[in-house]
Amino acid sequence: MARRTSLPVTFVVPTIAILLVLSMVPTLYAIVIALQNRELSTPDYSWVWLSNFVDLFLDRRFLNAVWVSVKWEIVTVVATMVVAIGLGVLMFEVASPRLRNIYCLLFIIPVLLPRVSAAFVWKFAYHPLYGIATYPYRLLTGGLIFDPLSKPATALFAVASVDVWQWGLFFAVIVLKLLETLPPQPIEAARLDHAKRWQIHAYVTLPMLKAPLISLMFVKMIESLRSFDLIYVMTRGGPGVATETLDMYAFSQGFIESGKVSYASAMAVLMMIATVITFTMLWKRVQA
Amino acid sequence: MRPGRLIGKAILALAGFLAVFPLLWTALNALKNNVDIITRVPRLVFTPTWANIGYILGRDSVLTGLYNSVVACGSAVLIGIVLGLPAAYAVARYPNRWAGDIQFFVLSLRFLPPVAVAIPLMVIWLQVGLYDTLPALIITYSLLTISVIMWLAIPAFQSVPKEIEEAAFVDGYGAYSVFWRIALPVAARSLAGAVAFSFVLVWNEFLIALMLSSSNAKTLPIVASELSQQGMNVPWGILNASVVLLSLPPLLFLGVLSGFLNSVFRQKKT
């Protein structure tokens, strides 16, 4: 359809120009702020160049936040993929078409909820005395108290479970749809060779879906970076600093505790560099 | 195989239960008096009360939050439609050597950590005098809506059969009227899914709204989270009612979005 028309230019140029302005201005400005020593309490500032970054690497709480963020990424991405593939394959194997449709609708609901809502729902559910999720434990142990959100060892997993509740179930629907698009012949062939059901999936169907599954994982890795809402509502980074991810720490440095906007911005800049480099490399590899 | 299938079905049923039960329980708690919520043994039978919902709907802060959310998200989605759909169509139908770069650029906007955008924007809006106003929020959200709508609309336009558009050209339609009268209506269903998705995304957005508002421009998620900050002083029923109110709008799009998912994967099959 190579026709001479002004359409591509009039349609693309304004939009891309606006996107460029809207994204580059804050990005570049974040770097500028990171090189200064701005604070919320005063309008004065001076240039301190890289000293914010040097301070960061001497800040043990920052290093802890890096570690918590890495843990969060790994736990949520792995758990989401395991739940998604497990439930997707199960639906493909044992659910009738009508049941599949019902499950698909149900499994999409959690991901549509605002993260704030999901966080509240589970914060109530995890309440040690009155929560519905801790009730079975109270019942079985005769009233012992289990408070997953206030124990350093379990808090991160308790919050991560909400993330997996939202994304794992949603991705299960996608895995099912992917399985449904596969041609039936290889599965039939494997069945004739007396392969067991799990073997068919482990050696035939899932390897055939390798590329889309990797893309799915890529999407989840990006979405897992947005952990702030859940953590802010459920634990505020606590107990102590057990669930304090980078964005949570940047927020509390910039806004709650000290108003050190420049220091927070330096953290944000490091996050930005790390994610842009990592995801650009991963994306090129996925595409290749 | 029999017991295996049974276990499989049981696991699925459990997962289905886990998917909706917490939300239903929250909705139920929104109808309870505090004495029925704060019990060691969860209560299924209770006398329902409309007091919590009435209280929520009668609070100025909640109504302002609702208004702000509707205006900010609605405007940002409109801007996303006006700027995103034509650009997506051009990328899909008139690919040039930058098409790949444009697609990657649009996707890469999603890599940016929200804090990294929110901190500088807060300083910028403060300097311009737009901090804590709806226009600032709308402009910031437009970045999200334009890029998401574009990203999802490109494949939607690509799946419109080329022959229909070619036929329209033969009939003497210009490039613009082919877009208006052919491509848009034919792709409408998938495009509606893309638009609904972008709405849900900004409606659910929290961090940017939190950083860009202090009193006037607070959106509903911020108001809801503030209610909870008052700890146990706020009756739980009221908190639950606010969670329900916040969750309803995205759930209205459940049908559209699941239809969108189906259409995306039906295309891949062919």
Side-chain angles (χ1 to χ4, degrees), chain A residues 6 10 15 177 226 236, chain B residues 18 83 110 166 176 229 262:
Chain A
S6 59
T10 38
T15 303
K177 309 256 172 204
R226 282 147 224 274
R236 283 255 171 157
Chain B
L18 280 178
L83 289 173
R110 198 80 194 133
E166 289 291 351
Y176 291 93
Q229 240 93 97
N262 283 330

Side-chain angles (χ1 to χ4, degrees), chain A residues 8 45 60 86 105 176 184 188 192 194 213 222 239 257-258 270:
Chain A
Y45 63 89
R60 283 182 59 194
L105 267 187
L176 172 68
E188 288 299 326
L192 289 178
H194 301 290
L213 287 178
I222 294 174
E257 288 167 22
S258 41
L270 285 182

Side-chain angles (χ1 to χ4, degrees), chain A residues 1-3 5-12 14-16 18-20 22-27 29-30 33 38 40 45 87 90-91 93-95 99 101 103-118 120-125 127 129-132 135 138 143 145 165 167 169-170 173-174 177-178 180-182 197 212 218 222-223 225-226 228-229 232-233 236 246-247 250-251 255 261-262 264-265 268-269 271-272 275-276 279-280 283-284, chain B residues 1 4-5 8-9 11-23 25-26 29 37-42 82-84 86-87 89-91 93-94 102 104-117 119-124 126-127 139-140 142-144 146-147 150-151 162 165-166 169 175-176 179-180 200 203-207 210-211 221 224-226 228-229 232 236 239-240 243 246-247 250-251 253-255 257-258 261-262 265 268-269:
Chain A
M1 223 193 294
R3 277 157 220 281
T5 160
S6 59
L7 183 140
V9 176
T10 38
F11 276 10
V12 169
T15 303
I16 295 299
I18 288 172
L19 281 182
L20 273 174
L22 283 180
S23 61
M24 292 320 282
V25 167
T27 312
Y29 207 60
I33 298 174
R38 280 175 194 264
L40 275 185
Y45 63 89
L87 289 178
L90 265 184
M91 274 193 279
E93 281 297 328
V94 302
L99 263 180
N101 284 339
Y103 279 129
C104 283
L105 267 187
L106 294 183
F107 287 172
I108 297 175
I109 290 175
V111 83
L112 289 182
L113 294 184
R115 301 277 263 177
V116 175
S117 293
F120 273 132
V121 166
W122 284 96
K123 196 182 177 184
F124 291 128
H127 191 279
L129 290 178
Y130 315 120
I132 188 82
Y135 174 65
R138 290 199 299 277
I145 283 174
W165 178 65
W167 286 94
L169 296 179
F170 170 52
V173 175
I174 296 185
K177 309 256 172 204
L178 287 171
E180 285 174 346
T181 60
L182 287 178
R197 290 300 177 99
F218 183 74
I222 294 174
E223 290 308 319
L225 294 173
R226 282 147 224 274
F228 180 83
D229 328 14
Y232 180 82
V233 172
R236 283 255 171 157
L246 279 170
D247 40 11
F251 180 79
F255 300 92
V261 182
S262 283
S265 195
V269 168
M271 279 168 73
M272 198 160 63
T275 51
V276 168
F279 286 118
T280 307
W283 174 252
K284 300 278 177 206
Chain B
M1 219 58 227
R5 282 184 77 84
K9 282 188 173 169
I11 294 176
L12 269 184
L14 181 71
F17 172 77
L18 280 178
V20 282
F21 179 70
L23 197 60
W25 188 249
T26 307
N29 276 354
I37 299 179
I38 310 225
T39 55
R40 297 214 167 204
V41 178
V82 170
L83 289 173
Y89 176 70
V91 172
R93 274 300 179 250
Y94 299 88
I102 290 176
F104 180 70
F105 166 66
V106 172
L107 177 74
S108 72
L109 293 177
R110 198 80 194 133
F111 303 167
L112 292 179
V115 224
V117 181
I119 294 174
L121 275 176
M122 193 192 76
V123 180
I124 292 171
L126 272 171
Q127 283 171 348
I139 295 173
T140 312
S142 299
L143 178 66
L144 283 173
I146 298 171
S147 59
M150 236 185 113
W151 178 249
K162 266 191 176 164
E165 288 180 46
E166 289 291 351
F169 275 116
Y176 291 93
F179 168 70
W180 273 111
V200 172
W203 180 273
N204 295 355
E205 204 287 325
F206 181 69
L207 175 62
L210 183 67
M211 286 199 183
S225 88
E226 274 171 0
S228 83
Q229 240 93 97
M232 300 300 139
W236 277 26
L239 275 178
N240 281 297
V243 169
L246 180 62
S247 311
L251 291 180
F253 292 103
L254 181 63
L257 287 170
S258 82
L261 263 187
N262 283 330
F265 286 96
K268 282 203 172 159
K269 208 172 195 172

